[in-house]
Amino acid sequence: VGVQKKDWLHGKLYSRVDRLVALTDIHRRNLLTNLPIREQNLAVIPNAVDLRRFNPSLRSESLRREFLGAEQGVLIGVVSRIDKGKGLLEVLEAAEILKTQGLAFRLIIVGRETIGEEGMLEVLRNDIARRQLAKHVFLIGHRPDIGAVTASLDLMVMPSPSETFGRVLIEAMASGTAVIASSGGGVADIIHHETDGLLVPPLQPKPLAEAMQRCIRDRDLRNKLAAGGLRAAQDRYDQKKLDRELYALMGIQV
C-alpha cells in the first residue's frame, strides 16, 4: 500500500512503502523475516468473501442430484486449479482408501488446468481409472455457478500443501459447508482444528482419508464444523468489514 520509491542497486530491488499488507499472521512473520520492512509498517488484513455470492441459501437439491445421481451418500468437493502442485493425486489415493472401506460418497473436482502447464488432467483421468474410482470421482471442469456448487456440498477438501491463504476455504465456510484442509502455509491461521474445520498434514493420503472418513460417518461432526465455519466467515472474512479496514489503513473516508 502506498509504494513511494523503487530503485535498482546491485541487481536487487529496494522499495520504501508506507504500509504492507499480509494475509495471515504466518504470512506476516514470513514477510518480516525476508523483507527489509519495519514491523510497524506491516498490517494483517485477510482475503475476504462476498457473503451474497457464497451463503447457505444457495444450496441446490437439483445440483446434488446432478452430482450424486441415484446414489445416496456424502457429496465431497475439491475446488482447485488442475495443477501438479495442488495435492490432487493424494486426494485420489485417499478416495481409494474410502472406497475400500465401503463408504458411500462421491467426490467432484472442480476447476480447469493451469494455462501453459497442461497435462495434469490426463494424469488424473489415468489415476482414476487405475484406482477404479470411476463411480466415485468426477472431474467436472470449470463451473460459473460456483457459489451454488459450493453450498451444495456436504464437505469441501483443500489438499494443496502450501497456500499463502486459500480463498476457497472461506468461500466454503461462508456457504455453510464443512471443510478439511492441509495445514501448510497460512491455512493454519484460517482453520481452528475441530472447531471450524479439520487440519491434516500436507500430502499425506492416510490422515486425509481418516479425516474424510470421520466426516462421512458423522453427520453431527459435519454440522458442527459447518456451523463453526459459517460463524468464522461472517465474523472474520466479510468483504464489507474488511474493505472498511483496508480503506482505514489507506486513510480513505467511506
Side-chain angles (χ1 to χ4, degrees):
V1 178
V3 177
Q4 296 180 330
K5 184 180 73 173
K6 295 181 180 179
D7 56 356
W8 285 96
L9 179 63
H10 304 303
K12 186 174 182 179
L13 175 66
Y14 288 87
S15 301
R16 188 172 75 231
V17 299
D18 296 317
R19 297 298 294 270
L20 189 64
V21 176
L23 298 176
T24 65
D25 285 333
I26 291 173
H27 189 203
R28 177 178 178 275
R29 292 195 296 271
N30 288 340
L31 291 175
L32 285 172
T33 299
N34 294 289
L35 291 180
I37 186 170
R38 290 179 295 179
E39 186 170 0
Q40 61 266 33
N41 289 351
L42 188 55
V44 177
I45 300 178
N47 281 327
V49 61
D50 185 343
L51 298 179
R52 297 165 300 180
R53 187 180 176 208
F54 293 93
N55 66 79
S57 71
L58 297 175
R59 184 177 176 91
S60 167
E61 291 305 317
S62 64
L63 274 179
R64 288 180 58 80
R65 287 192 297 271
E66 176 185 338
F67 299 136
L68 285 170
E71 300 293 327
Q72 297 295 316
V74 172
L75 182 59
I76 305 169
V78 175
V79 179
S80 170
R81 281 186 293 112
I82 307 301
D83 186 287
K84 64 182 179 181
K86 293 295 186 177
L88 298 173
L89 289 174
E90 285 74 18
V91 171
L92 296 185
E93 186 172 343
E96 184 180 27
I97 295 171
L98 299 179
K99 184 194 73 169
T100 62
Q101 295 171 340
L103 296 175
F105 74 97
R106 280 196 173 180
L107 170 67
I108 59 172
I109 299 178
V110 187
R112 55 166 63 104
E113 286 188 295
T114 302
I115 297 173
E117 299 181 20
E118 290 80 5
M120 189 61 190
L121 194 58
E122 188 62 25
V123 172
L124 292 180
R125 289 193 185 106
N126 290 338
D127 206 50
I128 289 169
R130 181 176 68 84
R131 297 182 186 277
Q132 299 181 355
L133 289 170
K135 294 183 179 180
H136 293 276
V137 180
F138 300 86
L139 304 170
I140 67 171
H142 171 73
R143 295 283 303 213
D145 57 345
I146 191 62
V149 170
T150 302
S152 300
L153 299 173
D154 297 306
L155 179 65
M156 167 82 80
V157 174
M158 198 190 83
S160 183
S162 183
E163 294 286 342
T164 302
F165 190 81
R167 189 188 294 271
V168 297
L169 283 179
I170 61 172
E171 292 172 349
M173 292 159 70
S175 300
T177 299
V179 298
I180 298 172
S182 295
S183 58
V187 171
D189 273 351
I190 300 173
I191 300 298
H192 299 86
H193 184 58
E194 300 281 354
T195 299
D196 47 32
L198 299 180
L199 291 173
V200 295
L203 301 179
Q204 294 189 33
K206 288 184 179 179
L208 175 57
E210 289 170 1
M212 294 168 72
Q213 177 193 64
R214 286 183 63 197
C215 289
I216 290 170
R217 288 180 166 166
D218 191 342
R219 181 191 294 269
D220 289 341
L221 174 62
R222 293 201 310 271
N223 290 341
K224 171 194 166 186
L225 298 176
L230 181 58
R231 286 192 299 271
Q234 293 170 340
D235 292 344
R236 301 200 302 261
Y237 302 112
D238 180 1
Q239 187 172 48
K240 291 181 179 179
K241 294 179 182 178
L242 292 175
D243 281 351
R244 288 194 294 269
E245 287 189 31
L246 186 59
Y247 292 145
L249 183 68
M250 295 188 291
I252 298 173
Q253 297 294 326
V254 294

